């Protein structure tokens, strides 16, 4: 199954939308701010571009999409003010898969620009924000066009279910009832996910290497674990719960189907 064709966070701003259920991811962005700041100041130490290319990969929709951008702009603006220099022009690209709710981001842009101008006054540099639909496991931007790349809570998504687990061959059967790596998964399941991650991450790095200028910086925040064992509770607890919930839905569905069939006969 190709993730790119089916994946999107819940759209809009309703009760179950991503916009209303992404406070934890927002906290991750805020926690990473010192790392983002160090990276950006590193760029500005080496070169002071008149126009700075920034990309957020896996931006989703809701408050977090523009939270990270405003953090980045704040850092650059504060540095420019300290140095008595004008702010550079900001070329900001918000990337996600084509099914992402880009419309709701675009709708929030006027309020975002208004706030930036109110806070920063005439010192606020020109800022162009665009949406880029496509997979970050592919080329997304022209050669050497980006100074800073950011991605948070997104790179744990693989481009596809590892092929070895999709076929009807033995490994799929061995991981029966599980949707990811779990305590009962055999080694071949762990190997299949590891290989898929390596292949994806290599393409990700090669693509960004071509798109970034020399001396550019990248900050990637993604889930990690303290143990090298991916089957500890810390690593797979949430997947176990999700698998149980899905299995119980399937069981309920099958039992309703059987009841319907019985009634029909
Ligand atoms: C959990 S959300 C994180 C959103 C935002 N960065 C945040 O911190 O709230 C993960 C996002 O990554 C996107 N994503 C997953 N795989 C992707 C890919 N291959 N290319 C681009 N975006 C992807 C998803 O569509 C989703 O919007």
């Amino acid at each position: 199954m190709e993730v790119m064709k089916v994946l999107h966070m819940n759209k809009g701003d309703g009760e179950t939308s991503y916009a209303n259920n992404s406070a934890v991811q927002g906290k991750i962005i805020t926690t990473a701010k010192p790392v983002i700041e160090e990276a950006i100041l590193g760029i500005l130490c080496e070169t002071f571009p008149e126009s700075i290319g920034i990309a957020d990969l896996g931006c989703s929709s809701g408050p977090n999409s523009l939270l990270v951008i405003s953090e980045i702009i704040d850092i650059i603006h504060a540095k420019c003010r300290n140095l008595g220099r004008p702010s550079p022009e900001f070329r900001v690209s918000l990337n996600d898969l084509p099914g992402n709710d880009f419309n709701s981001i675009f709708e929030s842009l006027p309020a975002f620009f208004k706030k930036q101008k109110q806070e920063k006054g005439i010192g606020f540099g020109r800022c162009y924000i665009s949406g880029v639909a496509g997979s970050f496991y592919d080329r997304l931007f022209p050669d050497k066009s980006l100074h800073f790349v950011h991605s948070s809570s997104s790179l744990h998504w693989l481009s596809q279910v590892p092929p070895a687990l999709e076929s009807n061959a033995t490994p799929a059967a061995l991981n029966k009832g599980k949707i990811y790596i779990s305590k009962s998964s055999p080694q071949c399941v762990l190997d299949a996910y590891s290989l898929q991650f390596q292949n994806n991450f290599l393409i990700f790095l090669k693509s960004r290497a071509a798109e970034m200028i020399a001396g550019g910086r990248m900050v990637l925040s993604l889930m990690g674990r303290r143990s090298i064992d991916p089957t500890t509770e810390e690593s797979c607890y949430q997947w176990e719960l999700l698998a149980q919930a899905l299995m119980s839905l399937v069981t309920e569905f099958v039992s309703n189907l059987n009841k319907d069939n019985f009634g029909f006969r």
Side-chain angles (χ1 to χ4, degrees), residues 101-242:
D101 189 0
F102 284 104
N103 276 345
S104 69
I105 305 183
F106 296 152
E107 278 165 15
S108 58
L109 285 180
F112 173 79
F113 284 129
K114 191 173 171 198
K115 186 162 175 274
Q116 291 298 321
K117 281 180 190 146
Q118 273 168 356
E119 284 173 6
K120 302 183 175 75
I122 48 161
F124 180 54
R126 275 170 297 164
C127 180
Y128 304 99
I129 300 187
S130 51
V132 175
S135 172
F136 49 53
Y137 295 128
D138 208 339
R139 284 292 302 270
L140 290 167
F141 305 101
D143 281 352
K144 301 183 182 25
S145 56
L146 297 176
H147 294 78
F148 183 63
V149 171
H150 175 268
S151 180
S152 187
S153 303
S154 299
L155 268 160
H156 56 285
W157 286 100
L158 301 174
S159 68
Q160 63 173 108
V161 174
L165 304 185
E166 270 210 311
S167 70
N168 288 326
T170 333
L174 286 174
N175 208 27
K176 204 168 177 215
K178 302 294 172 190
I179 53 166
Y180 192 55
I181 297 169
S182 78
K183 282 191 198 334
S184 60
S185 301
Q187 187 59 40
C188 58
V189 171
L190 276 64
D191 294 343
Y193 276 108
S194 172
L195 184 64
Q196 185 62 47
F197 178 77
Q198 282 173 39
N199 289 342
N200 276 162
F201 201 53
L202 186 64
I203 296 173
F204 177 91
L205 290 177
K206 279 187 175 167
S207 305
R208 303 300 82 80
E211 294 163 353
M212 293 182 71
I213 59 139
R217 301 283 198 280
M218 184 154 71
V219 173
L220 310 176
S221 308
L222 61 155
M223 274 198 278
R225 57 171 187 266
R226 279 172 281 255
S227 158
I228 56 161
D229 176 7
T231 69
T232 56
E233 195 158 281
E234 174 198 33
S235 310
C236 63
Y237 180 64
Q238 57 183 324
W239 306 121
E240 295 274 0
L241 284 183
L242 196 55

Side-chain angles (χ1 to χ4, degrees), residues 16-37:
T16 59
S17 62
Y18 184 75
N20 263 320
N21 293 277
S22 46
V24 173
Q25 292 88 326
K27 181 94 174 64
I28 295 171
I29 292 172
T30 312
T31 308
K33 190 172 176 186
V35 182
I36 296 175
E37 181 159 22

